[in-house]
Amino acid sequence: MATNKLTVEDLLSFPALQLTLRAGKSGLSRSVSWAHTSELADPTPWLLGAEVIMTTGLAIPRTATGQRRYLERLDDAGVSALALSAQLHMPPLHDAFFEAAEERGFPVLEVPLAVPFIAVSQEVAAAVQEDARHRLGAQLQVFGSLRWMVAEDLDTPTLLRRLERLSGYNVFLCTPQGRPLLPGVPTPDPGVLPASVDAPPTVPGGFVLPVPAPGGPAGFLVAYERQGAQPAGLAVVQHIATVAALRLAMVRNERETLRREGAETLAELLREVLDPDAARRRLARHAIEGETVLLVVRNTTDEALLHCLEDRPHLLLTRGDDRYVLGAPELAPAIGELPGVAAGMSRPFPPGAALKVAEREALWALSKAVESGRPLVRYGDDATGRWLPEDPAVLSALVEHVLGEVLRYDLAHGSQLLVSVRTWLERDRRTETAAAALHIHPNTLAYRLRRFGALSRRDLSSTGALAEVWLAIQAAGTLGLTD
């Protein structure tokens, strides 16, 4: 017998069993973990893989097609060999049955009538005792991995590599959609994932198991036997899936804690209560370094943002219907691809800088995104922005000089002179189109334009006055005065 591994070929060499090979010679190297009697037409839901299935023939279909499908089911479930009792209830075996065995390298053995099935089971049990001791030792060491996580603070890839060495399997993890489940752990071929969590765990060369989590499986663990290693069996793989679930819970808890800390940090940055050095230290903790931008995002959810920004350093804060996101400029394309989203992005600034100007820029860009229907607008993309000064004090002076009386009138009377003129200008001074957008009569809009001109002391039929008013309205938008 091969060291620590019983094979089909070893069974054929045991004199007491008197087994003969009927077909599938190329599969004699298959490992054997157990021998079990079954007269079921489909015993695969109760199998773990690497079994020798013994039958008197009651389970064997009588048709050629049925016999071939029976053999293929066993092979797909990882059965090592099929042992048939000579005579008894065995139907005539068709050529298609033996052809399938040869094609798949699936050994078909014959057991003499004088040899009871229990003798085969006993021989297999005795031969695999040493392997059973190895499997028990592997299980105990996998339990010990819980201590590694606490005492040695192992990262996820290092932990999984240790478990691979102990178990004799290469381990892969993924979400039900085939995406990475834990950082640094490779994903399997999506084609191996089962359609249901209740599917049999055995696949050719290994196992597929769900990774448990509250509310349903978080994903799947795929374990393939490593060449030259001694696989420790399904029980050990199940323990590894449990360790992966615990590790996933820890990672999710760490991420949630970090996310809450990030939201608090962003709120303090927006209130400007952090000095630059403290702000930079906080951002470094979240791996945010180098050029940074602020985005204000609308028409989406926290879950959608967290999903699209997964594994990308960022801070996220929810304010009413808006989500504030702080991070590298590279976050913008991913956010812009969210369905139905409207987002505005500030100009880049160094980490730790005050966010008052960046917030105004992002809100102004967001208003342009909403008006235009574009998913993402960057501050400065609009040509008008090139003519505006960056200093908020200068912008405020421009707004006060041109629009001060209008703003105070709107505030005192609850009127909409400023928004009416802005809408009119944005629609290229087409009165009927602007009135329809404002849901008012064109005559009402004409009155508002005249009233605006009187308060601002600007003639809107003059090109110079029009340019001055337009720039002042853009400045008011940058300062957040037109929201």
Side-chain angles (χ1 to χ4, degrees):
M1 186 178 74
T3 303
N4 294 331
K5 183 177 181 182
L6 178 68
T7 67
V8 177
E9 187 172 14
D10 294 326
L11 291 180
L12 288 169
S13 70
F14 291 174
L17 299 183
Q18 306 176 48
L19 302 176
T20 56
L21 179 67
R22 297 286 304 276
K25 183 178 180 179
S26 62
L28 292 180
S29 61
R30 294 186 178 206
S31 63
V32 176
S33 64
W34 199 247
H36 185 69
T37 302
S38 174
E39 303 298 347
L40 295 175
D42 182 12
T44 57
W46 293 273
L47 302 179
L48 301 180
E51 298 95 348
V52 172
I53 293 299
M54 301 178 290
T55 177
T56 63
L58 294 174
I60 305 295
R62 295 191 171 274
T63 66
T65 301
Q67 289 178 3
R68 184 182 183 98
R69 288 177 178 170
Y70 172 77
L71 184 143
E72 289 174 344
R73 279 198 298 272
L74 296 180
D75 187 36
D76 289 342
V79 170
S80 300
L82 176 65
L84 308 174
S85 177
Q87 303 172 21
L88 290 183
H89 307 289
M90 190 65 58
L93 297 175
H94 296 273
D95 291 341
F97 176 81
F98 293 109
E99 288 169 1
E102 294 294 346
E103 290 169 7
R104 288 175 167 251
F106 182 79
V108 176
L109 312 178
E110 186 174 87
V111 186
L113 192 58
V115 178
F117 284 168
I118 189 64
V120 179
S121 298
Q122 287 175 342
E123 288 284 355
V124 171
V128 300
Q129 277 185 352
E130 186 175 349
D131 182 57
R133 287 194 292 270
H134 164 72
R135 293 178 182 224
L136 178 59
Q139 290 185 44
L140 293 174
Q141 291 187 68
V142 169
F143 284 134
S145 65
L146 303 178
R147 179 177 55 81
W148 301 340
M149 285 195 293
V150 175
E152 301 183 40
D153 194 24
L154 297 181
D155 60 26
T156 301
T158 303
L159 174 65
L160 266 294
R161 283 195 295 270
R162 285 197 185 182
L163 293 175
E164 286 179 332
R165 289 195 297 270
L166 283 174
S167 65
Y169 294 92
N170 289 321
V171 175
F172 304 83
L173 289 168
C174 68
T175 66
Q177 296 75 34
R179 301 178 67 248
L181 183 64
L182 282 172
V185 181
T187 58
D189 180 350
V192 77
L193 301 182
S196 166
V197 295
D198 297 322
T202 304
V203 295
F207 304 101
V208 177
L209 295 173
V211 177
F220 292 95
L221 180 146
V222 180
Y224 289 118
E225 295 181 8
R226 286 208 324 273
Q227 188 173 5
Q230 186 178 0
L234 176 62
V236 167
V237 177
Q238 289 172 329
H239 294 325
I240 294 176
T242 302
V243 172
L246 177 59
R247 185 64 180 180
L248 179 63
M250 293 171 63
V251 168
R252 286 179 170 175
N253 183 62
E254 290 169 0
R255 286 178 177 171
E256 179 61 20
T257 300
L258 204 60
R259 189 189 71 79
R260 291 178 180 176
E261 290 178 358
E264 293 173 3
T265 295
L266 183 50
E268 292 178 1
L269 287 171
L270 289 168
R271 295 199 307 269
E272 297 188 343
V273 298
L274 288 178
D275 64 80
D277 288 338
R280 282 190 288 270
R281 287 194 299 271
R282 294 267 197 99
L283 294 176
R285 170 169 164 74
H286 294 271
I288 298 176
E289 298 175 331
E291 205 170 57
T292 308
V293 295
L294 180 68
L295 296 104
V296 182
V297 188
R298 195 170 292 171
N299 302 335
T300 190
T301 62
D302 289 353
E303 291 75 16
L305 273 174
L306 291 170
H307 181 72
C308 89
L309 299 178
E310 189 176 13
D311 299 328
R312 306 183 194 203
H314 68 279
L315 306 185
L316 172 63
L317 174 66
T318 301
R319 281 187 167 182
D321 294 332
D322 293 337
R323 273 78 183 170
Y324 284 65
V325 180
L326 183 73
E330 289 73 27
L331 299 181
I335 292 176
E337 291 177 359
L338 290 172
V341 76
M345 187 179 92
S346 72
R347 290 173 298 176
F349 52 87
L355 295 187
K356 189 61 68 178
V357 173
E359 182 181 12
R360 290 170 180 165
E361 293 175 353
L363 286 169
W364 180 87
L366 172 64
S367 69
K368 293 299 176 185
V370 172
E371 293 165 6
S372 65
R374 294 159 59 190
L376 175 69
V377 172
R378 295 172 173 82
Y379 182 85
D381 284 354
D382 192 322
T384 305
R386 302 173 187 172
W387 304 103
L388 294 176
E390 298 182 6
D391 188 344
V394 178
L395 290 175
S396 297
L398 171 61
V399 172
E400 173 60 31
H401 178 64
V402 179
L403 304 176
E405 291 298 326
V406 176
L407 288 169
R408 284 186 282 276
Y409 183 88
D410 276 347
L411 182 63
H413 297 84
S415 57
Q416 295 185 328
L417 297 183
L418 181 58
V419 72
S420 299
V421 173
R422 185 185 71 179
T423 304
W424 179 65
L425 292 173
E426 287 171 347
R427 284 154 181 78
D428 298 324
R429 292 169 290 167
R430 293 192 293 269
T431 301
E432 290 189 0
T433 304
L438 293 165
H439 306 289
I440 60 176
H441 194 276
N443 290 342
T444 303
L445 177 57
Y447 165 77
R448 292 182 181 180
L449 296 177
R450 291 194 299 272
R451 187 65 180 144
F452 178 94
L455 289 170
S456 64
R457 297 185 297 278
R458 262 79 178 173
D459 181 1
L460 295 182
S461 64
S462 164
T463 301
L466 202 64
E468 189 178 22
V469 167
W470 175 244
L471 285 173
I473 289 176
Q474 299 307 304
T478 302
L479 296 172
L481 299 177
T482 59
D483 295 338

